[in-house]
Amino acid sequence: MKLKQLLWASALLSVSFACSDSNDEKPLGKYNNGILIMNEGNFGTNDGEVYHLNPNTEELLPNIFEAENLRPFAGLLEDMVLEADRLYLVANTGKVEIVNPADFKSSGAVSGELDQPRSLAVNGSKLFISDYGPYDASYATPDSYVAVVNGLDGGTVSKKIEVSNKPEDLFSYGNYIIVAGSEENKIEIIDATQEAVITTLDLEASPKQFYAEDGILWVYAVTADEVLFYTVNLSSLTLGTTYSVPVANATSRIAFDGDDDMYILTSSGWPDYNDAVVSIDIEGTTATATELMTGSGFYGIGFDDDLDQIYVANSNGFQGNGTVSVLTETGSVIRSFEVGRGPSGFLVY
């Protein structure tokens, strides 16, 4: 899973009140202040859910989708995408739920025409949803696509745009949707009006996540032995600088701190599952890596920019509920607490 985030991508608010068009101040809602913890859920039982954490009081509210909608989410959560006044809950079991981030009440959905959705981006009045597509007899995904939905509150899929195998993160810019094609090491650029791929950029690594800062789009990509960061010039939609650092077994999990530091997870995989939290610092033309913490079962990572704290999710092998540990920027554990099944991402307001 990933999270724009979150997380691998974060949404940060620096005030405790939201302003209306009339300039009257109104308190933020119950949930759109603090940290949302995405619990993927267990395969087969499809019990994905969202928890809400107040990092100042440490109050933790479980299962907030079910609590506010009086029904279970009933899916495996893959991503949470915040766009203006809507929060999109992407389930790789074939649906997208749309909720009001203030009270978590459902306002719409996309379902019935998706296969294995991975992430989502908004462009104008359209939703673009990356989807692995169905498995074939060999469990490959040769029919991957980006689904188009006309309407920000969901509805039916109007078109499926063919892309390279296993698209992951999406990024919306101008009239374009930029796609991370993870299996074939490509970045594909879709014209949102034409609803077609118009440009492809070939990479030497598997792109996983995007992060935009100061007119530059960062692309987090991995090989078996390296972590690479590509930059994309958004004005020309061309590749810029490439930074590489020798970190083996990097996963798709990453959190940006809003500056030049990134936090990633590594895992040796089965049967040992030797995992680590690694900090990567980019200074000038050089990227360096520092191991902060080791263990097993690390499954998600996020960063709270207000408190300068790292959040590390542990699935505990999906044997019961997972846990979250809060770390300092040097890797010291501040506290840990239990969350839901398969915690995998964070959205920080």
Side-chain angles (χ1 to χ4, degrees), residues 2-10 119-121 130 167-172 177-182 186-189 201 203 206-213 216-221 229-232 234 239 252 254-256:
K2 58 202 171 295
L3 182 63
K4 289 189 184 62
Q5 98 306 114
L6 90 82
L7 310 193
W8 104 251
S10 299
S119 192
L120 178 149
S130 56
E168 291 287 354
D169 200 22
L170 301 176
F171 182 77
S172 179
I177 295 292
I178 303 174
V179 184
S182 67
K186 297 179 184 296
I187 293 175
E188 290 155 297
I189 300 172
L201 306 176
L203 308 179
S206 173
K208 302 297 186 182
Q209 295 282 336
F210 297 125
Y211 174 75
E213 182 181 38
I216 297 295
L217 181 65
W218 290 87
V219 183
Y220 168 59
F229 292 93
Y230 297 92
T231 63
V232 176
L234 289 176
L239 290 175
S252 62
I254 184 169
F256 293 81

Side-chain angles (χ1 to χ4, degrees), residues 216-278:
I216 297 295
L217 181 65
W218 290 87
V219 183
Y220 168 59
V222 303
T223 69
D225 302 312
E226 281 188 311
V227 166
L228 292 93
F229 292 93
Y230 297 92
T231 63
V232 176
N233 188 319
L234 289 176
S235 61
S236 61
L237 297 177
T238 56
L239 290 175
T241 307
T242 301
Y243 303 85
S244 63
V245 58
V247 176
N249 303 318
T251 72
S252 62
R253 321 302 193 193
I254 184 169
F256 293 81
D257 75 348
D259 196 358
D260 293 325
D261 288 325
M262 298 82 166
Y263 301 95
I264 68 170
L265 299 180
T266 66
S267 178
S268 63
W270 187 88
D272 300 319
Y273 288 104
N274 294 315
D275 301 346
V277 178
V278 177

Side-chain angles (χ1 to χ4, degrees), residues 88-101:
Y88 297 90
L89 306 178
V90 181
N92 65 19
T93 38
K95 69 173 183 175
V96 174
E97 290 265 8
I98 304 151
V99 300
N100 180 340

